Amino acid sequence: MIRKHAQRALRLDRHPVIPQADGARTPVTPPATNAVVDCGWGRLIAGHTFSDPAQIAAELLQERAGERDIAFYLDKPHVVVAQAPQQLFVDPSEAFRLTLNSYQPARAVRRGFTVRRLRTRSDLAAVNAIYRSRRMVPVDPKRVWNLRADRKSLYVLAEDRATGEVLGVAMGLDHAEAFGDANPGASLWALAVAPQASHPGIGEALTRYLAEHFQARGRAYMDLSVLHDNQSAIALYAKLGFQNIQVFAVKRRNAINEPLFTGPTSAEEAALNPYARIIMDEAQQRGILVDVIDAENGYFKLSHGGRSVVCRESLTELTSAVAMSRCADKRVTVRLLAKAGLQVPRQTLAGDTAHNVAFLREQGAIVVKPVDGEQGKGISVNISSEEEMDVAIERAHQHGDRVLLEQFCEGQDLRIVVINHRVVAAAVRRPAQVVGDGHSSIALLIEKQSRRRAAATGGESRIPMDAETRRCVVGQGYQMEDVLPLDETLAVRKTANLHTGGTIHDVTAELHPALRAAAEHASRVLDIPVTGLDFLVPAVDGPDYVIIEANERPGLANHEPQPTVQRFVDLLFPNTRLEEVAP
């Protein structure tokens, strides 16, 4: 349990002293005055180094557009806010401290990732992709790169051992170097883990790395600030030995911080899923009125300047019933695209046994799915035997009367989002997988990974413990009760659908021009203003492809950091484009 300690025991003194081994306390030089540190995502204003609350307020009012400044270590935040009450607010976060002289490093355990310091400019792009995916403020790459040799701050990254993918990031600040504190400590900021990460313990590893780094420098403590309702993070910090301290933060009111000072959303708004909520947030930042019609099903109305559009997540009145029906029926989608010269797989409706067996033998391997299905329900992939096919057809029938048999095509599962007939984002989707820890059963690993995916996606992504998951595991020579060896990765689904635990990895910058052209041509053939096209490709930077589906309601939240939601609102209300709005 996190205990609250007396302010006297843990506070930052304005004139600190260094504790000596014999218990004596020797006065030291006061800290720097009016200290402000550039962190890349904004500035940290060291409140304990200021004597005048008005000066703290003045610094906060100099915040640059698109950044987030924080005045921390305030013992009288209300006095600072009183200097500019219409522009400042008290941050609703808790502060915690880890005492480093009693901190015990964890026993070394080999993991599927390593933690290291920032090394390359490409690291910064990966860092910002994580921050944007978590709806956090990205850093200024040039400024952070120029600060990489500065002893005041350091960025540390978690990197997948097998793929080299950056999975997490945190920033540490050395108070002796930054503020001149004589009884120096440190602090941790901007910790984030990629939502697609399958390895457990990334946040803990980043926190411990910084704690041990500052402990080796002889620092006395490491502090952090976390939103009061972030229970999972608070539980992690409690586990590591952090204790609550009574210091406060003040921030400037801006669009980034708006949810923190506008109060709780209505019950209807809170009930919207992440795909609807991300659109609502973008619209409200532009001054567009949002009226929730049916939160459970994602219906809402956007209104601005005499114009109103009803939406169901990213499906709007701009999509005609004809266009929607073209996408909903997978046979129609494929026929139209093939007629337009685009590459598609062969298909047939499931019929009698002789018909189905003939198609299976002709193709060698097939995909079985409901004609009108969505969210990956009822899909079985890489079916190669008659027995498997019969079971898969029966499973697909549970999600629709008509079942489609489709040629199985090898390749990466690529989703391309097209808005107003222009590609906005592209991402490779990977099936759900688990990583062995050497002692947990595969079933338990799936359960844990499913919880992480649900937490990362607002409950939208979970790994179902169903017959298809068991088939996938057994097909690779395992049983659900088996213990997966340490660091071994096991795919537990064949399809890469996000609703069944799949993960998504942005590849927009790598997309081959031929794939981009095919996606934009397909959107025009289907005459649909917003769509998510599913491709199978040997490589995202190559020209070869087949298009297997078109989704009339793509999840825009899945494609951050690409500006899918911005382009969506641009389409609906072009006069609110952010670059055209006065600051």
Side-chain angles (χ1 to χ4, degrees):
M1 180 178 180
I2 298 173
R3 296 172 295 155
K4 291 195 174 183
H5 285 246
Q7 180 75 1
R8 182 178 59 190
L10 290 174
R11 69 185 173 90
L12 282 175
D13 292 319
R14 190 159 280 128
H15 299 285
V17 293
I18 299 177
Q20 302 300 306
D22 60 2
R25 293 170 66 82
T26 305
V28 295
T29 305
T33 58
N34 299 354
V36 179
V37 182
D38 186 353
C39 299
W41 36 260
R43 300 176 304 152
L44 185 65
I45 299 164
H48 66 293
T49 69
F50 285 74
S51 59
D52 184 355
Q55 290 180 306
I56 299 174
E59 283 291 347
L60 283 168
L61 296 179
Q62 294 180 36
E63 179 183 74
R64 288 183 284 245
E67 297 191 357
R68 180 195 60 170
D69 289 352
I70 303 174
F72 198 51
Y73 295 123
L74 302 176
D75 53 5
K76 295 181 180 179
H78 55 293
V79 178
V80 176
V81 171
Q83 311 303 310
Q86 301 303 315
Q87 297 168 287
L88 305 178
F89 69 101
V90 178
D91 181 43
S93 293
E94 298 274 8
F96 294 94
R97 171 168 294 179
L98 180 66
T99 303
L100 295 179
N101 60 13
S102 59
Y103 167 76
Q104 295 295 320
R107 179 175 57 89
V109 176
R110 178 177 171 80
R111 300 176 183 268
F113 62 91
T114 59
V115 178
R116 61 170 176 82
R117 297 184 65 164
L118 177 75
R119 286 200 301 249
T120 67
R121 292 180 186 273
S122 61
D123 283 344
L124 289 168
V127 164
N128 275 344
I130 292 175
Y131 282 152
R132 290 190 179 100
S133 71
R134 290 300 194 180
R135 310 212 77 189
M136 295 169 65
V137 179
V139 301
D140 182 318
K142 183 177 180 180
R143 281 160 48 202
V144 173
W145 182 251
N146 290 338
L147 292 170
R148 68 191 184 283
D150 191 327
R151 284 181 56 84
K152 291 194 292 289
S153 62
L154 73 155
Y155 276 86
V156 294
L157 284 61
E159 178 183 271
D160 188 286
R161 288 182 184 273
T163 66
E165 183 179 7
V166 175
L167 301 174
V169 58
M171 177 200 147
L173 188 67
D174 188 322
H175 294 185
E177 302 288 343
F179 312 142
D181 285 354
N183 185 26
S187 51
L188 178 154
W189 300 92
L191 171 64
V193 177
Q196 73 271 15
S198 58
H199 299 287
I202 293 173
E204 177 177 344
L206 289 165
T207 303
R208 287 189 179 278
Y209 182 99
L210 287 172
E212 290 159 28
H213 171 83
F214 290 126
Q215 186 182 52
R217 281 194 180 184
R219 301 303 175 244
Y221 57 83
M222 185 171 75
D223 293 346
L224 56 83
S225 176
V226 59
L227 281 175
H228 69 96
D229 58 356
N230 190 345
Q231 296 303 317
S232 60
I234 290 173
L236 168 63
Y237 300 137
K239 168 188 168 184
L240 296 179
F242 283 82
Q243 299 173 338
N244 190 231
I245 59 174
Q246 296 300 297
V247 296
F248 304 95
V250 169
K251 295 177 181 175
R252 181 175 179 177
R253 296 174 186 253
N254 58 31
I256 297 167
N257 294 323
E258 186 174 3
L260 303 181
F261 62 81
T262 55
T265 58
S266 68
E268 286 187 322
E269 290 178 351
L272 290 170
N273 67 29
Y275 305 112
R277 184 59 187 267
I278 191 174
I279 297 170
M280 184 194 78
D281 290 345
E282 175 69 18
Q284 288 178 332
Q285 287 186 23
R286 301 191 189 195
I288 297 170
L289 178 66
V290 179
D291 178 21
V292 178
I293 299 171
D294 182 352
E296 182 179 354
N297 291 295
Y299 287 95
F300 54 92
K301 181 169 71 173
L302 303 180
S303 304
H304 184 271
R307 172 181 170 83
S308 295
V309 181
V310 175
C311 309
R312 185 187 181 195
E313 300 166 10
S314 64
L315 176 65
T316 77
E317 296 171 301
L318 276 64
T319 297
S320 69
V322 171
M324 183 174 172
S325 65
R326 288 169 176 164
C327 294
D329 190 322
K330 297 173 176 57
R331 296 179 310 152
V332 174
T333 302
V334 166
R335 282 204 298 264
L336 289 171
L337 297 183
K339 187 176 180 180
L342 295 162
Q343 301 301 310
V344 295
R346 296 177 182 175
Q347 293 181 334
T348 186
L349 275 178
D352 59 32
T353 300
H355 171 80
N356 298 345
V357 169
F359 186 76
L360 174 64
R361 290 176 178 173
E362 177 186 340
Q363 303 304 325
I366 62 172
V367 176
V368 179
K369 54 188 175 183
V371 169
D372 304 309
E374 62 177 1
Q375 299 184 351
K377 295 176 181 177
I379 297 179
S380 300
V381 176
N382 198 10
I383 300 295
S384 57
S385 73
E386 295 178 28
E387 294 78 10
E388 284 185 320
M389 179 177 65
D390 291 341
V391 172
I393 290 172
E394 180 61 30
R395 184 182 304 126
H397 269 306
Q398 297 174 10
H399 300 277
D401 293 334
R402 297 179 301 165
V403 173
L404 194 64
L405 308 183
E406 183 178 271
Q407 172 191 7
F408 172 69
C409 301
E410 293 278 3
Q412 297 182 68
D413 188 321
L414 175 68
R415 164 63 66 90
I416 301 180
V417 175
V418 184
I419 298 176
N420 202 17
H421 307 306
R422 298 192 64 178
V423 168
V424 177
V428 168
R429 301 186 298 178
R430 296 174 185 159
Q433 60 182 31
V434 296
V435 180
D437 59 11
H439 59 81
S440 298
S441 69
I442 291 172
L444 182 57
L445 292 172
I446 292 173
E447 181 185 332
K448 290 179 178 179
Q449 176 63 5
S450 186
R451 285 201 302 265
R452 284 193 292 271
R453 291 296 298 139
T457 60
E460 292 296 310
S461 179
R462 289 185 173 88
I463 306 172
M465 195 69 78
D466 59 9
E468 179 63 13
T469 297
R470 288 190 287 273
R471 183 180 80 87
C472 185
V473 170
V474 171
Q476 297 172 84
Y478 288 100
Q479 298 297 322
M480 299 296 281
E481 300 75 24
D482 291 344
V483 172
L484 194 63
L486 180 66
D487 286 344
E488 182 168 327
T489 299
L490 179 71
V492 297
R493 299 288 293 188
K494 293 287 188 181
T495 59
N497 193 284
L498 298 181
H499 291 276
T500 56
T503 58
I504 191 160
H505 308 260
D506 182 68
V507 294
T508 308
E510 306 163 37
L511 194 65
H512 192 279
L515 304 184
R516 183 181 295 270
E520 292 176 351
H521 183 33
S523 76
R524 289 187 171 90
V525 169
L526 298 171
D527 193 21
I528 188 165
V530 179
T531 184
L533 292 154
D534 292 343
F535 284 60
L536 288 173
V537 299
V540 297
D541 56 357
D544 299 327
Y545 70 91
V546 292
I547 303 175
I548 56 174
E549 289 185 18
N551 190 316
E552 73 279 4
R553 185 163 49 99
L556 303 183
N558 297 326
H559 292 273
E560 293 182 300
Q562 299 304 326
T564 51
V565 68
Q566 291 90 334
R567 298 294 83 81
F568 175 79
V569 179
D570 289 347
L571 171 69
L572 304 187
F573 299 94
N575 61 324
T576 70
R577 289 179 65 94
L578 292 182
E579 58 267 33
E580 297 174 6
V581 176

